[in-house]
Amino acid sequence: RLQSSSRACPVSCTLLTFFFLAACSIRETEQKGYCENIITKKHLDKLQELIDSQMLMSCHVSFEFIDKQELGDRICYVKAAFPRLEDILDKMKFKKNSDNFNKTKDVQNMYKKIDENEVPCIDAQDDHERELSQACSREFSMPPEKMLQLVKDFFQEIMDLLDKNVDFKRDCSKAYQKCSNAPKKEPPSPEQRRKKAQPKETQREVMSYVLVAILAIVAILLAIGGLLFYKHKSRVRLWLTLGTLPPRALASWGTAHCREKEIERA
C-alpha cells in the first residue's frame, strides 16, 4: 500500500502542477489581451479629430509634464508621465454634449480603464522612483492643438509598448537620476515666452503690411498713369485749338481719333 501511494503521489503532483501552470498561462494571456485592446486606433483617430477641429490662436495652455527628450527612456517615460496625464486630460474642456465633448469623454474613460484591471497594465512607480522622476518634469506652454498632439503621441507610445509586451516593472531609478545630474536650463522669461508664443501672429501681421503696401503702390502707379494720360490728352486738344500741333503728333492723333470714331459708329 505504501508503494502504491508513493507511486500515485508523483502522478497527482504532476497533474496539479500542470493545471496550475495552465491556469497561470491563461491568466497571463487574458491580462495581455486586456491591456492590448484598451487603446485602439479608434481612440487615436478621435484625438486627431480633436486636433484638426481646434482654432489657430495665440493663447497657450500651461501644464507640468515629463520631458521625454531629457529622459531618453520610453518605458521610464511612460511610467513617470502616465499619472501626470490626468491633469492634461482635465484641461480638455468642450461644450457639454457637443461632438468634441463626447470624444474627450471616450478618451478619458479609456485612460481610466488602463488602471482598472486587477493587475495594472502600467506598473506604478515606487516612492523612490516617484521622488527621482520629479527632476524630469518641467513646465510646458503650448497652443491647445499642440497639447492634444502630445496626448495622442503619448497614447501611441503606450499602445506600441503594450503591443511589444514590455516589462514595466523594471527599476527606473538610474534613468530618473540622470535628470537630476543634468544641468538645468533657466526657465524662459515672460518676454521670451511672449515672443515664442506669437511667431505665427507676427508673421501674419508682416504679410498683411506687405500686401497693403503692394496694393497702395499699385494704386498710386495707376493714379499717376491716369493723370499723365489726362494731361497728355488735354495738351493735344489745346494744340489743336491753337493750331500748333506738331506734324507727327497731328498724324498720330488723327489716326487714333479716326479709330475712336469708327468704334463709336460700330
Side-chain angles (χ1 to χ4, degrees):
R1 292 178 180 176
L2 290 173
Q3 289 180 353
S4 61
S5 299
S6 61
R7 289 175 183 174
C9 183
V11 175
S12 60
C13 291
T14 302
L15 289 174
L16 287 172
T17 304
F18 172 77
F19 286 126
F20 177 76
L21 292 175
C24 290
S25 178
I26 293 172
R27 181 69 174 174
E28 183 178 354
T29 303
E30 291 177 351
Q31 167 68 13
K32 182 180 178 182
Y34 175 86
C35 294
E36 287 180 352
N37 294 324
I38 290 180
I39 306 175
T40 63
K41 185 178 181 299
K42 185 178 179 181
H43 293 116
L44 299 180
D45 290 341
K46 288 183 178 180
L47 282 167
Q48 185 60 52
E49 291 170 3
L50 287 173
I51 295 170
D52 295 338
S53 65
Q54 294 303 299
M55 294 178 60
L56 295 177
M57 55 182 66
S58 59
C59 67
H60 280 49
V61 183
S62 299
F63 55 91
E64 290 282 339
F65 204 62
I66 299 297
D67 191 338
K68 181 181 178 181
Q69 294 183 348
E70 184 176 3
L71 187 55
D73 188 301
R74 297 177 67 191
I75 296 176
C76 296
Y77 165 67
V78 169
K79 286 183 65 175
F82 181 76
R84 293 171 170 82
L85 189 66
E86 185 175 3
D87 294 335
I88 300 180
L89 295 179
D90 289 340
K91 295 180 183 293
M92 295 166 52
K93 298 185 181 298
F94 298 94
K95 184 180 178 181
K96 193 172 182 180
N97 296 327
S98 65
D99 191 33
N100 284 351
F101 176 86
N102 294 330
K103 291 174 184 176
T104 302
K105 278 296 179 184
D106 288 341
V107 173
Q108 291 172 339
N109 291 335
M110 174 267 292
Y111 170 76
K112 294 177 182 178
K113 287 181 180 178
I114 296 177
D115 266 351
E116 280 184 355
N117 199 32
E118 184 178 347
V119 180
C121 299
I122 301 174
D123 293 88
Q125 300 171 293
D126 58 35
D127 293 338
H128 184 57
E129 286 180 319
R130 191 177 298 105
E131 182 179 354
L132 290 175
S133 65
Q134 294 294 333
C136 302
S137 176
R138 72 176 181 88
E139 182 180 355
F140 289 80
S141 181
M142 56 183 66
E145 70 271 13
K146 294 292 184 183
M147 183 188 75
L148 290 169
Q149 185 65 54
L150 184 147
V151 173
K152 180 191 174 185
D153 293 342
F154 184 73
F155 280 122
Q156 180 71 62
E157 190 88 53
I158 296 177
M159 189 169 72
D160 293 342
L161 293 175
L162 291 176
D163 287 342
K164 294 177 182 178
N165 197 25
V166 300
D167 183 15
F168 283 103
K169 294 180 180 179
R170 70 180 180 88
D171 186 17
C172 289
S173 299
K174 291 183 179 180
Y176 299 146
Q177 187 66 46
K178 293 179 182 178
C179 297
S180 302
N181 298 335
K184 292 296 178 182
K185 299 179 182 179
E186 293 184 2
S189 64
E191 182 66 20
Q192 290 174 331
R193 289 183 181 179
R194 186 185 64 80
K195 290 181 180 179
K196 188 176 181 180
Q198 298 179 341
K200 292 183 179 180
E201 193 69 25
T202 303
Q203 187 177 5
R204 291 194 193 98
E205 291 179 2
V206 172
M207 292 300 295
S208 299
Y209 291 144
V210 171
L211 181 61
V212 170
I214 292 174
L215 292 176
I217 292 172
V218 171
I220 292 172
L221 291 176
L222 290 174
I224 293 174
L227 182 62
L228 291 175
F229 177 76
Y230 175 77
K231 285 185 176 181
H232 176 71
K233 197 169 183 180
S234 299
R235 188 179 300 171
V236 169
R237 287 178 179 173
L238 179 62
W239 286 343
L240 287 173
T241 302
L242 299 176
T244 57
L245 188 67
R248 290 183 181 179
L250 181 62
S252 176
W253 180 86
T255 302
H257 185 68
C258 289
R259 289 178 181 173
E260 291 179 0
K261 291 296 184 181
E262 289 178 358
I263 292 173
E264 290 177 359
R265 290 173 184 175

